[in-house]
Amino acid sequence: LSISAELQGRWNLTERSYSKSLVTLESKFALTQSIKFGLLYRNSWQTNDYALLDGKRQMTSQRISFGIQIEPSKWLKIDKYLGIQITSKIQYENFKFKREQLYWRNKLTLRPQFKSKIIKPFLSAESFYRSNQYYFLSGDEFVTEGLMNEMRYSIGTDLEINNSNTFTIGLLLRDYQTTNNTNLILNLSYEHTFRKNKK
């Protein structure tokens, strides 16, 4: 069992502006060395698109998600050269002045294994399926309909200072499947992990 806390800042390089701040608490339970279950809570601060309603330039959102992480590298016996992580999770997010969002997220992460004990590079691709993208009236009931509405591609590196402290720097390309513009995001984060090992 492990519990971690992360502080992250995002800069939208496409629009040349600061995007948001995020604080995350996450717990993971390792069923085996290759299978982990996780529960996550995140709070974020970002620009308020509805500032005319309450006069505030910033808004917050809360997120809860639950998922499973599988690392098939050990099964394929290539973990000395390449780490592979497959993550699937359900995410609920609540905003002020905006209806809640329910996502199914699936992510593939590749981690080349270098000799360095500090530098841990990664590549990833992630899909977002939003189950309640659309609301429409069917008879006397409102019905929701989903849409795969975003792909994310990341490249960067973790800087593992020790077993408990990690800095991450990376670039994130958000490729929306809707009318929103594609954005390039710079991510900087610090994570502290509290570990509890039970034999």
Side-chain angles (χ1 to χ4, degrees), residues 53-65:
L53 296 178
D54 64 356
K56 297 181 180 180
R57 300 182 62 182
Q58 296 289 312
M59 66 175 288
T60 62
S61 67
Q62 290 77 41
R63 172 187 303 176
I64 298 174
S65 66

Side-chain angles (χ1 to χ4, degrees), residues 101-104 129-134 144-147:
Q101 296 181 355
L102 188 63
Y103 287 104
W104 180 29
Y129 180 83
R130 181 172 167 182
S131 64
N132 61 342
Q133 176 71 18
Y134 296 115
T144 61
E145 185 173 286
L147 175 69

Side-chain angles (χ1 to χ4, degrees), residues 91-186:
Q91 168 186 309
Y92 170 81
E93 193 161 13
N94 178 268
F95 296 88
K96 189 176 182 181
F97 303 126
K98 189 176 181 180
R99 75 169 182 263
E100 74 281 355
Q101 296 181 355
L102 188 63
Y103 287 104
W104 180 29
R105 301 174 60 168
N106 293 282
K107 185 176 184 179
L108 171 65
T109 303
L110 303 178
R111 295 180 176 274
Q113 300 300 299
F114 293 165
K115 292 183 179 180
S116 174
K117 295 183 179 180
I118 297 178
I119 300 175
K120 309 290 183 180
F122 60 83
L123 294 167
S124 71
E126 184 176 18
S127 65
F128 283 64
Y129 180 83
R130 181 172 167 182
S131 64
N132 61 342
Q133 176 71 18
Y134 296 115
Y135 279 80
F136 60 92
L137 187 63
S138 178
D140 296 328
E141 295 184 18
F142 276 102
V143 180
T144 61
E145 185 173 286
L147 175 69
M148 206 290 286
N149 66 345
E150 185 179 347
M151 288 293 300
R152 292 185 180 183
Y153 306 96
S154 300
I155 184 172
T157 186
D158 294 330
L159 303 173
E160 294 189 358
I161 307 305
N162 51 44
N163 289 336
S164 299
N165 299 284
T166 303
F167 290 94
T168 301
I169 180 170
L171 290 174
L172 168 65
L173 182 68
R174 301 186 64 176
D175 182 13
Y176 298 98
Q177 309 296 304
T178 59
T179 56
N180 292 341
N181 293 327
T182 298
N183 286 321
L184 183 63
I185 308 295
L186 172 65

Side-chain angles (χ1 to χ4, degrees), residues 180-194:
N180 292 341
N181 293 327
T182 298
N183 286 321
L184 183 63
I185 308 295
L186 172 65
N187 286 343
L188 296 176
S189 67
Y190 164 72
E191 181 180 28
H192 180 77
T193 300
F194 307 89

Side-chain angles (χ1 to χ4, degrees), residues 27-31 35-39 66-69:
S27 64
K28 288 184 179 180
F29 173 76
L31 185 63
I35 302 176
K36 297 178 182 178
F37 293 94
L39 180 65
F66 173 79
I68 183 173
Q69 178 179 292

